[in-house]
Amino acid sequence: MNRPCIAIPLGDPAGIGPEIVVKALTDKELYDICRPLVIGDREVVRQAMDFCGLKLEIHGIDEPQEGLYKPGTIDLIDLANVDIGRLQMGRVQAMGGRAAYEFIEKSVQLALDQKVDAIATTPINKESLKTAGVEYIGHTEILAGLTGTQDPLTLFEVKNLRVFFLTRHVSLRKACDLITRERVLDYIKRCTDALRRLGITRGTLAVAGLNPHCGEHGLFGDEEVRHIEPAIEEARRLGYDVAGPIGADSVFHLALTGRFSAVLSLYHDQGHIATKTLDFERTIALTVGLPFLRTSVDHGTAFDIAGTGKASAVSMAEAVRVAAKYAPHYNRSI
């Protein structure tokens, strides 16, 4: 099997990213399905192994093709950009923000050069980025900026449930204002295309309702009547396999049981609550629409436990698995 190469930037070195990476790479099964490549700093990796009580060999390389990719070894492209003596665990600091950004930047360049097949990212800290003078607020914005991509899609996957988001980090009031016929129709088209890029060519996309019971034909909220239903009807006329609006109290369960291939959630928490309640640690974020596939853990830097070795690596290992699962389909579609 031609195992895809998955770049893993370490994330903020003052957070739990390095710890969950080294823990995840003790999973021998990951090496059966992919070639995991860490982009980071050697001393940070060594420190993380000390925190976790692990002894793995660090194999420093300059190019992905030089990796050994075997259990017990961490293949590392060392950017040597962290002064370990000055690093303060669990603290916002410019050095951590700058290093995290440079790890991502290098990973993106490798992906654009087609030297790696996907990127599985670890947590970064928005305040540390700002302190470092990085102009982006988070991963999605960094990746979009470095690749010139406009408004990439976010997709969550956990077990059999896949959820897209019509809106992301805006207030609930603004999210409601963004639910327009034009936007819903555009997202139906883009979500369908995204599923195809991942190799999912069959199944119906469901659009969640906004109001309780989808507004009961305008009795309590008319967004469904004025915007969501017309968008779905237009999409069907154009040949898209889409259903809805379907009440948010049932649509995620129906998708989980196989009725739908994915759900278009209308605002941030609507989809986050559904996926994370199902399985918080195995909820993986995918960024679709970039020139390469990106997956990510869906938790933060956990500064409160950084440096203790307590952080769970379940989500990190799952992010790598999902990247390995979809990267071959995604790259063939480009």
Side-chain angles (χ1 to χ4, degrees):
M1 181 178 68
N2 184 20
R3 297 173 296 161
C5 186
I6 311 300
I8 308 171
L10 275 184
D12 193 310
I16 63 170
E19 295 168 58
I20 63 174
V21 169
V22 298
K23 281 187 176 182
L25 295 185
T26 63
D27 184 346
K28 296 180 180 179
E29 292 183 2
L30 288 183
Y31 289 86
D32 293 334
I33 61 173
C34 71
R35 293 172 289 148
L37 171 61
V38 176
I39 313 298
D41 179 278
R42 180 182 289 268
E43 294 307 313
V44 172
V45 173
R46 282 179 175 165
Q47 178 177 261
M49 287 194 291
D50 288 342
F51 290 151
C52 299
L54 298 174
K55 292 184 179 180
L56 301 169
E57 179 185 347
I58 299 175
H59 180 229
I61 59 178
D62 295 317
E63 295 291 340
Q65 65 267 26
E66 299 170 1
L68 300 175
Y69 305 114
K70 64 180 184 179
T73 300
I74 293 179
D75 293 286
L76 170 70
I77 293 182
D78 179 16
L79 301 191
N81 56 353
V82 177
D83 181 347
I84 203 72
R86 293 176 48 238
L87 181 66
Q88 300 178 65
M89 296 304 299
R91 298 286 297 274
V92 170
Q93 60 209 286
M95 181 171 59
R98 174 54 57 183
Y101 175 77
E102 291 174 355
F103 299 153
I104 298 167
E105 186 178 42
K106 178 64 175 180
S107 300
V108 167
Q109 190 57 58
L110 291 171
L112 291 176
D113 291 342
Q114 299 182 347
K115 294 181 178 181
V116 300
D117 299 292
I119 299 175
T121 60
T122 51
I124 58 178
N125 184 276
K126 293 177 174 62
E127 290 183 70
S128 293
L129 290 176
K130 183 177 180 180
T131 303
V134 176
E135 60 182 288
Y136 303 107
I137 194 171
H139 268 120
T140 303
E141 293 79 9
I142 291 172
L143 295 168
L146 292 176
T147 61
T149 303
Q150 296 296 318
D151 193 22
L153 288 175
T154 296
L155 168 65
F156 275 15
E157 177 171 303
V158 54
K159 299 184 180 180
N160 295 324
L161 177 61
R162 302 182 191 93
V163 179
F164 290 98
F165 297 87
L166 186 75
T167 62
R168 292 194 294 267
H169 294 147
V170 297
S171 70
L172 184 56
R173 173 66 272 160
K174 185 172 182 180
C176 292
D177 293 339
L178 288 171
I179 298 169
T180 65
R181 174 175 175 168
E182 294 75 19
R183 187 177 179 88
V184 174
L185 177 59
D186 177 57
Y187 267 70
I188 291 171
K189 294 177 180 177
R190 295 175 63 204
C191 292
T192 301
D193 180 61
L195 291 172
R196 289 171 180 163
R197 293 185 72 173
L198 295 171
I200 302 164
T201 57
R202 295 182 179 180
T204 302
L205 173 69
V207 178
L210 175 67
N211 296 296
H213 307 291
C214 297
E216 295 282 13
H217 305 290
L219 288 178
F220 35 87
D222 62 359
E223 287 86 355
E224 282 81 5
V225 174
R226 292 194 300 119
H227 297 291
I228 302 170
E229 291 174 8
I232 293 170
E233 291 170 3
E234 176 64 17
R236 287 176 180 156
R237 284 195 292 269
L238 294 172
Y240 289 89
D241 189 353
V242 57
I246 300 170
D249 59 350
S250 59
V251 68
F252 299 103
H253 169 73
L254 294 173
L256 176 65
T257 56
R259 183 81 64 86
F260 304 112
S261 58
V263 178
L264 175 56
S265 168
L266 299 185
Y267 58 93
H268 181 279
D269 283 11
Q270 187 181 58
H272 278 246
I273 292 170
T275 53
K276 292 179 181 179
T277 300
L278 178 60
D279 191 329
F280 187 91
E281 288 194 298
R282 288 182 171 82
T283 295
I284 300 304
L286 296 86
T287 304
V288 187
L290 300 168
F292 49 82
L293 178 65
R294 174 252 180 164
T295 65
S296 179
V297 300
D298 193 51
H299 59 72
T301 49
F303 277 170
D304 58 321
I305 61 169
T308 67
K310 296 179 180 178
S312 170
V314 169
S315 190
M316 186 72 249
E318 191 69 11
V320 175
R321 286 192 186 94
V322 172
K325 170 185 173 182
Y326 286 125
H329 299 287
Y330 193 89
N331 294 335
R332 281 199 299 269
S333 72
I334 296 175

